[in-house]
Amino acid sequence: ADVAQALLIMITNNIGQVAYLNAQLHGCKNIFFIGNFLRHNQISCRRLAYAIKFWSKGEMEATFFKHEGYFGALGTFLHSAFGESLDILLDSVMK
């Protein structure tokens, strides 16, 4: 059980670091996590939130969706419908 928990924490911290680096590369302040893996996995949610806070020195925040399946499908649909222009569309909507 200890080895499994250590592996989970290690992988989750790695995901948090990669998410932080991508957010920094694209100039994002909020990082949204979706996926069935996080639905009932409080350990990973806490570790992801901690990793984002640690790597960003408190400047970025991790957010977890309650209806992650819906938002994952919505993101896939928007990407397939708008392709590369999706970022431009979302930037214009968010301003």
Side-chain angles (χ1 to χ4, degrees), residues 69-84:
Y70 171 77
F71 287 106
L74 181 62
T76 302
F77 167 73
L78 289 173
H79 185 69
S80 67
F82 296 102
E84 295 299 321

Side-chain angles (χ1 to χ4, degrees), residues 11-76:
I11 292 168
T12 305
N13 280 335
N14 190 296
I15 291 169
Q17 183 180 24
V18 170
Y20 160 72
L21 291 172
N22 276 301
Q24 186 180 34
L25 181 68
H26 295 285
C28 300
K29 291 289 183 190
N30 294 317
I31 301 172
F32 299 97
F33 290 97
I34 59 172
N36 194 29
F37 173 71
L38 297 172
R39 181 179 294 181
H40 299 294
N41 192 342
Q42 293 300 318
I43 294 171
S44 290
C45 288
R46 284 194 306 266
R47 292 307 301 180
L48 281 171
Y50 175 80
I52 298 301
K53 187 175 181 178
F54 174 81
W55 289 110
S56 70
K57 295 178 177 60
E59 293 184 14
M60 293 182 188
E61 184 177 342
T63 304
F64 303 93
F65 283 110
K66 184 176 181 179
H67 302 289
E68 73 285 336
Y70 171 77
F71 287 106
L74 181 62
T76 302

